[in-house]
Amino acid sequence: QVVSQGWKYFRGHFYYFSQISKTWYSAQQICISRNSHLTSEFLYRTAGGLPYWIGLTKAGSEGDWHWVDGTPYNKVQSEKFWIPGEPNNYGNNEHCVNLKTSALRSWNDASCDNTFLFICKRSYKPSDP
Ligand code: 2F8
Ligand code: CA
């Protein structure tokens, strides 16, 4: 596994697993924010059950989940990634998603105001958007 200044390379992208906790919005601002569900196996295994924010939110979109990097959210294909019973919009205030377990079913919706570690994703090529 290639690791460069904390960025881990996996299948064409580099991923940064933070060591500090931030709100979802702060994390998103810190990242050159490119998260995706395509690599969930790599992500949940590496996250190892520690909660990390990922780039999936329904804030500001009338309840529709969307990836901040513009990757289309595939509702059917994404079913298998939610922890059973999630997303439950606990307290009517859970609009951001973190990885919460070390299993494929690792997604939980949580309040964006909570602070968690976070994962940034960027292209292999520094010049790519
Ligand atoms: O039981 C699942 C439930 O657990 C917590 O709420 C009690 C989570 N809250 C946070 O992680 C902040 C809920 O998101 C989760 O659904
Ligand atoms: Ca939840």
Side-chain angles (χ1 to χ4, degrees):
Q1 186 189 36
V2 177
V3 179
S4 172
Q5 294 189 338
W7 291 82
K8 298 170 196 279
Y9 177 77
F10 183 77
R11 293 191 186 170
H13 292 88
F14 279 99
Y15 296 85
Y16 183 79
F17 287 72
S18 84
Q19 297 184 341
I20 51 170
S21 295
K22 294 285 177 183
T23 65
W24 187 90
Y25 188 73
S26 299
Q28 132 97 330
Q29 287 187 308
I30 288 171
C31 292
I32 315 161
S33 172
R34 299 294 168 194
N35 294 310
S36 136
H37 60 297
L38 301 174
T39 53
S40 60
E41 181 177 20
F42 165 72
L43 290 179
Y44 76 71
R45 281 181 186 270
T46 305
L50 272 180
Y52 283 89
W53 287 127
I54 59 173
L56 183 59
T57 181
K58 63 176 159 64
S61 66
E62 302 193 346
D64 285 330
W65 291 111
H66 61 275
W67 293 99
V68 291
D69 72 353
T71 303
Y73 178 73
N74 186 317
K75 186 168 161 52
V76 171
Q77 286 198 42
S78 297
E79 290 296 340
K80 62 177 175 287
F81 300 126
W82 291 103
I83 294 169
E86 306 295 347
N88 63 354
N89 197 21
Y90 189 87
N92 236 3
N93 187 35
E94 296 195 315
H95 308 314
C96 293
V97 176
N98 60 16
L99 303 182
K100 197 177 170 185
T101 74
S102 54
L104 181 64
R105 290 193 173 277
S106 53
W107 293 359
N108 175 48
D109 59 345
S111 166
C112 307
D113 296 330
N114 284 328
T115 60
F116 291 111
L117 302 172
F118 56 95
I119 303 168
C120 302
K121 174 185 175 184
R122 67 168 164 78
S123 168
Y124 176 66
K125 293 186 228 160
S127 53
D128 273 8

